[in-house]
Amino acid sequence: MPRYFIYLSYDGASYHGWQVQPNAVTVQQKMEEALSTLMRTPMQVVGAGRTDAGVNAALMVAHADFPSEIDVPHLVYKLNRLLPPDIAVSTLRRVKDDAHARFDALSRTYYYRVVTGKSPFLRRYACRVQPGIDFELMNRAAELLYEYTDFTSFSKLHTDVKTNNCKVTRAVWLDKGDGEWCFEIKADRFLRNMVRAIVGTLLQVGRGRMSLDGFRAVIENKARSEAGDSAMGEALFLVGVEYPSDIFL
């Protein structure tokens, strides 16, 4: 059965995250329902990661096995007519039969958006913080993430992962102008709740409630209770997933 990568985006506000759950509506569920209807056979979809409840994706990648080769533009059109308005498929790409959307990913990139003033247009998709927060100091704290690989302090407790090690290759606050800032973070993998916990802790630094040494101690002590509260999920966007080129046909 030919395997395809599906490139999609979604507004996470109405969903309890990506992954199928027994008593909640999820993005994976909606994708599988739409594909099963179109293909007239049960379809399973595997995502590149598990976004939390409320979190958005400007670019998510998933894979699915199809009964035969497909007409990509036609299927994209049909899928988008069937999917709810807050989920959109942009394209599909044929990949090797053993290519895996999650395990073959080389890196993932997230954006977290904050605003320092009231904005009627960004209120749903950005976290509002008080003016005067020290983004330069937050950037100095973010650089400390490059020195570590064990991010237990920023992981949701009692998860089923075998390791809390991740390699962060980019972590920076970017000034977008007009009081809007974006935290860009890239790593080979992310733990559940990791980005929101990092942002919440960096905001403690920016507010003067935690020193750089304190931020370092949070990482080294590997205790979630010492880190800041998780920042709101609605301001977080998965924006990129990278793969080795040789898995595409």
Side-chain angles (χ1 to χ4, degrees):
M1 298 176 71
R3 178 166 292 186
Y4 286 81
F5 274 11
I6 306 166
Y7 290 77
L8 66 146
S9 57
Y10 53 84
D11 181 333
S14 300
Y15 302 101
H16 204 76
W18 163 264
Q19 189 172 15
V20 167
Q21 298 184 37
N23 301 307
V25 180
T26 69
V27 180
Q28 183 184 23
Q29 171 195 334
K30 290 297 184 182
M31 286 296 303
E32 291 182 345
E33 289 174 352
L35 281 170
S36 298
T37 298
L38 288 176
M39 306 311 297
R40 299 180 181 181
T41 187
M43 296 285 292
Q44 290 187 320
V45 177
V46 178
R50 299 184 294 185
T51 53
D52 295 331
V55 174
N56 312 291
L59 189 150
M60 166 64 91
V61 183
H63 77 248
D65 295 325
F66 288 79
S68 60
E69 300 284 345
I70 59 172
D71 179 339
V72 170
H74 181 71
L75 183 67
V76 169
Y77 175 75
K78 291 285 190 180
L79 262 178
N80 283 327
R81 289 196 64 181
L82 200 55
L83 287 165
D86 49 10
I87 303 175
V89 173
S90 57
T91 192
L92 287 83
R93 294 183 68 182
R94 180 78 164 86
V95 294
K96 292 180 179 178
D97 292 346
D98 62 350
H100 200 286
R102 180 181 174 190
F103 298 134
D104 284 335
L106 300 174
S107 70
R108 298 157 178 85
T109 302
Y110 282 90
Y111 286 171
Y112 194 92
R113 301 169 70 186
V114 303
V115 287
T116 57
K118 186 175 180 180
S119 169
F121 305 109
L122 294 176
R123 70 189 188 281
R124 285 183 57 188
Y125 304 107
C127 174
R128 186 179 173 188
V129 299
Q130 69 273 33
I133 198 162
D134 193 337
F135 286 95
E136 181 181 349
L137 188 61
M138 287 159 62
N139 265 331
R140 289 170 61 192
E143 290 177 356
L144 299 177
L145 297 171
Y146 302 142
E147 300 178 24
Y148 298 90
T149 54
D150 187 330
F151 292 105
T152 300
S153 300
F154 302 125
S155 172
K156 188 172 183 177
L157 298 175
H158 312 303
T159 61
D160 56 0
V161 298
K162 295 178 180 178
T163 174
N164 287 335
N165 287 356
C166 311
K167 180 60 179 175
V168 175
T169 54
R170 182 168 172 81
V172 61
W173 287 94
L174 303 170
D175 185 354
K176 297 295 186 179
D178 296 325
E180 181 183 352
W181 289 76
C182 173
F183 180 60
E184 180 180 346
I185 184 166
K186 179 179 180 180
D188 58 346
R189 63 190 289 266
F190 286 92
L191 308 172
R192 289 194 65 187
N193 204 51
M194 177 174 163
V195 180
R196 293 165 59 199
I198 288 174
V199 170
T201 311
L202 288 173
L203 289 174
Q204 293 288 80
V205 175
R207 292 172 178 136
R209 298 174 186 170
M210 182 182 292
S211 66
L212 294 179
D213 287 340
F215 186 79
R216 183 186 292 278
V218 165
I219 303 172
E220 293 182 350
N221 291 342
K222 302 176 186 177
R224 178 65 185 92
S225 59
E226 295 186 16
D229 293 337
S230 295
M232 58 180 267
E234 293 79 2
L236 181 60
F237 292 78
L238 175 64
V239 298
V241 188
E242 290 183 300
Y243 294 96
S245 58
D246 61 1
I247 68 173
F248 297 96
L249 300 179

